[in-house]
Amino acid sequence: MSYLLHHPIEFQTRLRPDAPALMQHDQAWTYAELAGRIDSLARGLHALGLRRGERVAVWLPKSLEGIALMFAISRAGGVLVPVNPLLRPAQVAHILADCGARMLITQAARLKALAGELDGLHDLRWALCVDQAGEPLVDVHVLTLAELEPYPPLPNPPPPGGRAFNPAAMFEQGRTEHDLAALLYTSGSTGRPKGVMLSHRNLLAGAASVAHYLGIRPDDRLLGVLPLSFDYGLSQLTVAFHAGASVMPLDYLLPRDLHRAITQHRITVLAGVPTLWHQLAAQDWLGELESLRVLTNSGGRLPRPVIDRLRAALPSARLFLMYGLTEAFRSTWLPPEELDRRPDSIGKAIPNAEVMVLRPDGTPCAPHEPGELVHRGPTVGLGYWNDPERTAERYRPMPHAERAVWSGDRVRMDEDGFLYFIGRDDDMLKSSGYRVSPTEVEDALYASGLVREAAAIGIDDDTLGQRIVAVVASERDALDTAALLNHCRAALPLYMVPQRIEVRASLPVTPNGKVDRRALRDELAASTRTPLEPV
C-alpha cells in the first residue's frame, strides 16, 4: 500500500497512541485522539459527497480542529488547499475559482466577508463553518463542524491480536503516493497566485529528509508559528508527525507571545523567517528560551549580527540555515558546524535530492560561475494547476533522470559544493518570507483610481528581506499618498502593502517601452530618504 499524507499519524498511533501530537492553550490531543478525530471527519466529508481528487479549501487561523480537518481531507481522498488567513476575500475567491474547490472550510465571519465574491464559483457546493452556522449563500450549502461529525471515532489502535474494521479504508483503494495531495498557492510573476501541485510522495519525502538532518526526536516539541498555507509552515506538521514529535500551533502578535509559549511548554524546535529572528534577537530575555535545541531559518538571508546574537544567547541550540522553493519544498541546508566558515552560504542539497548550478543550455557551471539553481529528486512537485505552459517552462526533464525544477534563482557553487544565493532571474519580490508578485501589488495601485503609472520595486532590507516600494505617477497635482496606502491595506494582505510610496512625474522606460525596473531599483537602493509612511 502506498504511503499517504495522513499515514504517519496512523503509524504513530499504533506505535505510541498516548504520546502528545497537538497542543494549544488548554487542549492537548494524543496521536490516538488525533487519528480518531481525522477518521470521524473523513467519514463526514465523504457523507457530504466528497470524491477522490476534489479540492477542499481551508481558510482558518491555526487550531487543532483545523489541523485535523486538513489531514481528514487527505484520508477522505480529497486534495488539500490551505489558504493563508491573511488574504483578502477577493484573493481567496480567486483561489477557490482557480482550483475549482468543491468545499470551503472556514469561520462564519470569514464566510460572510466572502459572500460578495462568490460570483463565478460554480464548483463550490459546501461551506463548513467550524464555529457557528454561517449565512446561507446562493447554491452553497452551509453547515457547522458539529453537523459534519455524526460518527463516533473507530477503535484506534486495533485490539491486541486483531484488526479493527475500518470502513474508511475504502478511501484508499487504488490511491498511490504519486496522487495529488495538496495545492499550495504562491505568488506568480504574472500577478495572480498559482497553485503548486504536490503529491503525497513530495510532502512525505520532504518531511523524512528534514526530520533526518535536523535530528527531530519523539520527545521534541515544535512551535508552529508560520502559516500552514506556506510549505515551510505545513512542513512543521509533517516533520513532527514523521518523527512522532508534538506540535503547538500558534498565531502570535508580539515577541512576548513567543516567550510565553516557549517557556511554558518547553518548546525545543522553532522554525522562522528573518523577520521573526530579528524580533527575537532584539529581546533582552532571549537567553531565557533555554529549552530550544533546534532553530531553523528559511525565506531569506540572516545577517551575521543576528546569527551571532542567537548563538551567543542560546549556546545549546543548533541554528540551521536553509533554502527552499514551494515547487520542490526544500532544496538546501547548512550544517551548524559550517556557520563560522560560511555564514553567507545556503548550504548543500538536502538528503535524497540533487541540486545543480546550470547554464541556460543545461551544462554545469564552473566553481563560482553564476547559474540557475536546478533541483531534482522526490520532492519536485507535479507542476502548476491548470497551467501547462508555465509547468513546461519551469519543470523540465533531464537526460537519464526524472524531471527537475528550474528555480529561477541565480546562485554560485564553491569548490566544496556549497551554494551562495545571488538573486532572481525575474522581478519577483521576497518580503517577510513571502514571495510577492509585483504585478499583484501594481494591480491594487491601479485599482485605486489615483495613479496613472505604477511599479512595485523590492529594495534589500536586513529585516524583511526586501522592502516593497511603490513608485507611481499621477495626473493629480498632489497625490494623496495616505489614501493610496489605505486602499492598498484594504485590497492586499499586510505583507504585500508597500512600505513606501515615491511619486514621480513619470516612470523611466527601457528602449522597448517597458518600465525600467532595474533603473528604479538602483536609484531607490541608493536613496537614504525615510519612508513616507511605514506600514
Side-chain angles (χ1 to χ4, degrees):
M1 181 177 72
S2 290
Y3 205 42
L4 306 178
L5 181 60
H6 55 284
H7 282 162
I9 297 170
E10 296 180 2
F11 174 80
Q12 297 298 341
T13 297
R14 297 175 187 277
L15 194 65
R16 46 177 70 86
D18 297 325
L22 291 173
M23 51 188 177
Q24 188 178 50
H25 308 308
D26 58 348
Q27 285 185 294
W29 289 357
T30 65
Y31 272 98
E33 289 169 331
L34 175 58
R37 206 60 195 272
I38 289 171
D39 177 83
S40 178
L41 290 166
R43 287 183 287 148
L45 292 171
H46 188 263
L48 290 181
L50 180 67
R51 296 296 178 259
R52 184 180 302 174
E54 291 183 330
R55 279 72 60 204
V56 182
V58 180
W59 187 31
L60 289 171
K62 300 190 193 83
S63 68
L64 305 196
E65 292 80 4
I67 292 171
L69 280 160
M70 292 170 66
F71 287 86
I73 292 165
S74 170
R75 175 140 194 184
V79 175
L80 169 65
V81 186
V83 180
N84 193 325
L86 298 178
L87 295 186
R88 304 305 189 200
Q91 295 167 310
V92 176
H94 162 72
I95 291 174
L96 296 175
D98 185 72
C99 73
R102 179 73 168 181
M103 296 182 185
L104 168 65
I105 302 172
T106 188
Q107 298 162 307
R110 292 177 185 269
L111 186 63
K112 183 177 181 180
L114 191 64
E117 305 287 346
L118 287 178
D119 290 344
L121 300 183
H122 305 298
D123 296 306
L124 190 64
R125 288 293 176 267
W126 289 95
L128 171 64
C129 295
V130 298
D131 45 6
Q132 58 188 1
E135 296 182 7
L137 304 172
V138 176
D139 296 328
V140 178
H141 303 280
V142 182
L143 71 163
T144 64
L145 180 61
E147 295 174 276
L148 183 72
E149 287 191 285
Y151 313 106
L154 293 170
N156 208 342
R163 186 171 185 179
F165 172 67
N166 188 357
M170 65 182 178
F171 301 152
E172 298 177 9
Q173 293 177 2
R175 298 172 65 188
T176 79
E177 62 186 7
H178 300 286
D179 290 345
L180 181 62
L183 287 176
L184 299 188
Y185 274 79
T186 181
S187 287
S189 56
T190 57
R192 290 286 194 171
K194 59 185 184 298
V196 177
M197 298 188 291
L198 298 174
S199 68
H200 295 271
R201 180 193 187 212
N202 296 152
L203 293 169
L204 294 179
S209 179
V210 174
H212 172 71
Y213 70 72
L214 294 182
I216 303 301
R217 310 183 306 229
D219 61 344
D220 274 321
R221 294 184 171 195
L222 288 73
L223 186 63
V225 299
L226 300 167
L228 299 180
S229 57
F230 187 14
D231 60 315
Y232 189 22
L234 181 59
S235 75
Q236 303 309 300
L237 299 177
T238 57
V239 166
F241 297 156
H242 171 86
S246 58
V247 183
M248 180 181 175
L250 177 69
D251 287 316
Y252 80 98
L253 295 174
L254 301 171
R256 270 287 173 188
D257 299 329
L258 298 176
H259 178 277
R260 186 179 306 111
I262 293 169
T263 55
Q264 288 184 0
H265 298 277
R266 304 296 296 170
I267 298 297
T268 61
V269 181
L270 179 61
V273 294
T275 47
L276 180 145
W277 297 120
H278 276 270
Q279 289 178 342
L280 286 185
Q283 308 304 317
D284 55 10
W285 43 255
L286 178 60
E288 298 174 19
L289 310 182
E290 57 187 8
S291 62
L292 291 172
R293 71 174 197 89
V294 174
L295 313 176
T296 69
N297 175 73
S298 190
R301 184 182 66 87
L302 269 189
R304 187 58 190 256
V306 175
I307 292 174
D308 292 344
R309 168 70 172 142
L310 293 172
R311 297 174 75 197
L314 301 169
S316 298
R318 305 182 74 213
L319 174 60
F320 293 79
L321 304 184
M322 307 188 302
Y323 159 92
L325 62 157
T326 306
E327 290 83 352
F329 176 73
R330 181 72 49 236
S331 290
T332 69
W333 71 290
L334 183 69
E337 295 75 18
E338 294 287 342
L339 268 173
D340 290 325
R341 296 177 59 200
R342 316 172 195 271
D344 297 325
S345 174
I346 59 174
K348 288 186 171 183
I350 64 171
N352 203 24
E354 181 180 11
V355 173
M356 301 156 282
V357 183
L358 303 181
R359 303 183 182 103
D361 63 2
T363 57
C365 291
H368 299 287
E369 177 187 355
E372 185 170 359
L373 185 148
V374 179
H375 175 127
R376 76 178 186 96
T379 63
V380 172
L382 305 178
Y384 299 116
W385 179 259
N386 282 339
D387 194 345
E389 182 178 347
R390 182 66 172 156
T391 297
E393 177 185 335
R394 183 60 62 90
Y395 295 85
R396 306 181 212 164
M398 299 191 68
H400 314 296
E402 59 185 310
R403 66 179 183 169
V405 60
W406 294 64
S407 69
D409 288 337
R410 294 188 62 75
V411 300
R412 63 180 178 86
M413 182 184 292
D414 65 20
E415 293 85 354
D416 299 321
F418 286 89
L419 294 152
Y420 299 82
F421 183 82
I422 297 173
R424 284 201 51 87
D425 285 337
D426 57 26
D427 294 315
M428 291 295 292
L429 314 177
K430 198 68 174 283
S431 185
S432 299
Y434 290 97
R435 195 161 62 176
V436 177
S437 165
T439 306
E440 194 167 0
V441 178
E442 291 157 9
D443 286 346
L445 292 165
Y446 284 122
S448 71
L450 299 174
V451 303
R452 182 183 71 252
E453 297 177 90
I457 305 296
I459 304 303
D460 288 345
D461 183 277
D462 282 344
T463 301
L464 298 174
Q466 284 185 313
R467 181 177 293 272
I468 301 174
V469 177
V471 185
V472 302
S474 174
E475 301 287 359
R476 308 184 181 205
D477 292 336
L479 175 64
D480 188 343
T481 56
L484 185 56
L485 277 173
N486 286 336
H487 171 82
C488 290
R489 291 188 182 103
L492 298 169
L494 186 60
Y495 63 85
M496 284 190 182
V497 177
Q499 279 80 37
R500 180 167 126 197
I501 292 180
E502 291 273 350
V503 183
R504 307 287 173 84
S506 62
L507 271 57
V509 296
T510 62
N512 62 8
K514 295 183 178 180
V515 173
D516 193 337
R517 295 177 183 275
R518 182 181 297 275
L520 283 173
R521 189 178 300 113
D522 292 344
E523 178 185 342
L524 292 170
S527 172
T528 58
R529 282 189 292 173
T530 302
L532 292 177
E533 183 177 347
V535 176

